[in-house]
Every structure is written in C-alpha cells, then in structure tokens.
Amino acid sequence: MNTYKIAAIPADGIGPEVIAAGLQALESLERREGTFRLDVTQFDWGSAYYKANGRMMPDEGIETLKAYDAIFFGAVGAPDVPDHITLWGLRLPICQGFDQYANVRPTRILPGIVSPLAGVGPGDLDWVIVRENSEGEYSGHGGRAHKGLPEEVGTEVAIFTRVGVTRIMRYAFRLAQSRPRKFLTVVTKSNAQRHGMVMWDEIAAEVASEFPDVTWDKMLVDAMTVRMTLNPRSLDTIVATNLHADILSDLAGALAGSLGVAPTANIDPERRYPSMFEPIHGSAFDITGKGIANPVATFWTAAQMLEHLGEGRAAIRLMQAVETVTGDGVMTPDIGGSATTQEVTDAVCEAIRASNI
C-alpha cells in the first residue's frame, strides 16, 4: 500500500470548511480503493497566525513542507490583513520556494450546472489553462519612492526569462499533446508590450517546432476574453503569463457556472519539491461560517492531487462521484442549489462508496 504525506493548510475564510470537506472525501476514497493511505498533517498558518505572530507562517515553514509529498491548501486572505501581506506571506513563498512553475486550471461544465453562456452545456466548454507561475508580472520586482508627495512613483517590473518561458511553453505543448484535440492557444499582449510579450511569441514558435502533431494559434489577451465568451468551443488548452492566466481562469470559472467549482494545481513538473493543490475561489469571508461554501472545487483539486501522486483511478472515481452528485441536483446556492457544504460532501462520499469502476 502506498502512503503519501500530505500537508493540509486550511488557512483563511472558507478554507477550513472546504479543506475539511475535501479530507472527508479523500478518507472515503482511501477506504473504497484500499490501495493507498494519506498521512495528513494540518498546519494552522494563515491570517489568524499572522495576527498572533506577525508572520503568516513560521520562518522554517518552507523547510518543514519539504518533507511532504503534496500540499492541500485552502484559501488565503482576510478583511483585516492587507492582501499583499497574506499573498506574499504564505501562498507565493510556497509556489516560488518550491519552483511550482506550472499552475494548471482545468475548466469544464459539470452535469447539472448551468453556464451563463446561452446554449453552452457539458462538453461545449472543456479547457485547461496553464499559467506561468514563477515570474512575469508577479515577480515582486519594483518599488516606490517619494511616498506621500505629489511626485510619488511606484514601479512594478515584469520579469520574463528565456528559461521560464520555454519551460512553461513546453509544459503546455505536452499537455495539449496529451489531450484529444491536440490544440493549444498562446495568449499574450505583444502589440502593446513589445519586449517580454514579443519574446513569449517568439519562444512559442520555437517550441511549437518540437510538437508537429499539436496545432496552435495565438491571441491577444483582450481578444481572448471575447473568444472565451462568444466561441468557447474553439478553445482547448491555453497558456498565458502569470497575470493574464490569473484573470482568464477566473473568467473561465465563472463561464463554467461558479468559481466554487474551479480547481488549481501548482506543479513542480520535475518533482524536486512538493506540489500544491488549492481551489481557485479564495477565502470568501462573506459566506464564511454559513455552511454553504461550495466544496466541488476542492474535490476537483483533490482529484488533481491524486493524479499527480499516481493514483489515477482514485482521481477518476472522485470526479465521477462529483458529477453524479451535481447531476442529481445536490448543489450549493452559488450554482443554483439549496444544499449545504456538508450535504454535498455526504452525497459525494456516498457516491464514492457506491462507485463500481
């Protein structure tokens, strides 16, 4: 039996609620499969930890996480802690410290969920967005001078390296190659950003020559939002910069029905360090404690984690259970249902137990 060490970081807002739901589903899978075991350790890092200790996680936090096979992350952000502190104090140090340079965000319309796009249903929107996750617009370079004065200036420097762009482009082409349509769309803004973005376009063309069986095209990011909403069937695998893919993946989640169903995997493809898996929806303090947070994104994220760990059958079983439950109309209010977080979780666990794959 394979045993995997999992670091669970529920963190802020609805994070503890959805991570608890995800762990409950994973426990059901463990019992149903009988071929693997998850050794889960929970860490209380996040905004509450910051308010008590002046930092989002201990100084040795990254070193501590190195011993784990994967990180199961809830959400970060709190109304009474500045966003740049929560993000740069916890999530980004993990992503950058472990060189999780591929952020992978699948999107599709699940059974029973209604897309806001007219005439678009399950099968019509089936995308994977690959986000460069280590540099670009979120490199953290820049500064401010003359604070409070009329001539105050702030700079935010986007860093693009040949190594960084080439490796994410290869990852995206390989992913596209593995999918039935073998089709990739490269998103930039190279008409207005004539240095880093033009380099993205050039490297995309170079890497494309290594994958002759993959068809690809490219879009400017603003035009891409139009294509996603008006012609979703024309897209399959998508690769974009850190900022652009961050924005486009939120749009993708909304087009699929709700950010509450959107998963994320922060991957170190070379497997030198643990990868991190988190739902996309954020801390959602407006519904924290109400028992209505949508756990579907966390279940899907857990399936990504299982697939990364090599437990592909368990991942398939979990997603089949989720689709059975949504197809039966057992859903939280954000996607038109009336069920609670726990009711959805219980239904998914029951579907796992009844599964016969």
Side-chain angles (χ1 to χ4, degrees):
M1 178 180 291
N2 296 320
T3 299
Y4 306 102
K5 292 184 66 178
I6 307 299
I9 309 176
D12 302 333
I14 62 171
E17 300 171 49
V18 295
I19 290 298
L23 292 175
Q24 186 178 336
L26 287 168
E27 288 170 6
S28 294
L29 278 169
E30 280 184 74
R31 291 192 292 270
R32 183 66 182 83
E33 292 286 327
T35 57
F36 69 90
R37 177 176 171 270
L38 301 180
D39 180 7
V40 179
T41 303
Q42 296 212 36
F43 295 90
D44 64 349
W45 305 341
S47 295
Y49 187 93
Y50 171 81
K51 285 181 277 191
N53 299 280
R55 56 190 186 276
M56 294 290 290
M57 64 177 169
D59 293 338
E60 69 278 7
I62 297 299
E63 192 63 33
T64 298
L65 293 175
K66 284 183 181 178
Y68 291 84
D69 297 303
I71 302 162
F72 198 32
F73 191 90
V76 68
D80 53 353
V81 180
D83 287 341
H84 68 277
I85 289 176
T86 56
L87 186 63
W88 284 95
L90 187 57
R91 185 187 175 277
L92 286 182
I94 295 172
C95 290
Q96 296 183 353
F98 290 148
D99 203 16
Q100 297 166 349
Y101 65 83
N103 179 282
V104 183
R105 301 186 170 193
T107 304
R108 69 177 186 269
I109 301 172
L110 300 178
I113 296 178
V114 179
S115 169
L117 297 175
V120 174
D124 294 324
L125 190 160
D126 187 354
W127 306 330
V128 179
I129 297 177
V130 177
R131 168 186 173 187
E132 200 292 314
N133 206 36
S134 67
E135 53 177 39
E137 305 89 346
Y138 296 173
S139 298
H141 285 260
R144 291 173 66 183
H146 313 300
K147 284 189 178 181
L149 299 176
E151 61 270 27
E152 181 174 359
V153 59
T155 61
E156 201 74 50
V157 182
I159 305 291
F160 301 99
T161 66
R162 174 164 284 274
V163 168
V165 178
T166 300
R167 66 184 185 177
I168 197 64
M169 208 63 71
R170 283 204 179 105
Y171 185 93
F173 269 95
R174 287 193 195 101
L175 181 58
Q177 190 179 50
S178 73
R179 286 168 59 82
R181 292 178 62 185
K182 300 184 186 300
F183 179 63
L184 176 68
T185 299
V186 177
V187 179
T188 67
K189 187 59 179 169
S190 50
N191 60 342
Q193 296 176 289
R194 57 198 178 108
H195 303 299
M197 294 289 93
V198 171
M199 188 175 80
W200 260 73
D201 288 346
E202 292 171 355
I203 292 174
E206 293 170 14
V207 173
S209 66
E210 303 171 17
F211 298 87
D213 57 333
V214 175
T215 303
W216 72 288
D217 62 8
K218 61 182 182 179
M219 294 289 294
L220 298 175
V221 65
D222 45 346
M224 184 63 171
T225 62
V226 177
R227 183 173 172 184
M228 288 170 68
T229 52
L230 297 186
N231 195 10
R233 299 173 187 86
S234 73
L235 295 163
D236 187 78
T237 310
I238 300 159
V239 63
T241 69
N242 214 332
L243 173 63
H244 292 164
D246 190 6
I247 296 168
L248 293 178
S249 57
D250 273 19
L251 173 60
L255 296 178
S258 170
L259 291 185
V261 302
T264 309
N266 300 286
I267 302 292
D268 165 28
E270 285 71 43
R271 297 176 181 265
R272 299 156 296 172
Y273 307 107
S275 293
M276 181 166 70
F277 302 84
E278 58 174 329
I280 197 175
H281 48 57
S283 51
F285 267 84
D286 57 321
I287 60 169
T288 298
K290 296 182 179 180
I292 58 170
N294 193 338
V296 168
T298 308
F299 298 147
W300 199 340
T301 295
Q304 286 185 287
M305 182 171 70
L306 290 168
E307 187 173 352
H308 180 76
L309 293 172
E311 300 295 338
R313 188 177 69 173
I316 292 170
R317 193 188 300 278
L318 176 53
M319 286 310 298
Q320 285 186 347
V322 169
E323 293 186 19
T324 295
V325 169
T326 59
D328 288 343
V330 183
M331 299 181 290
T332 47
D334 60 301
I335 46 177
S338 58
T340 65
T341 307
Q342 191 59 55
E343 287 169 343
V344 175
T345 303
D346 290 342
V348 167
C349 291
E350 180 56 37
I352 289 169
R353 288 189 287 270
S355 171
N356 58 7
I357 66 168

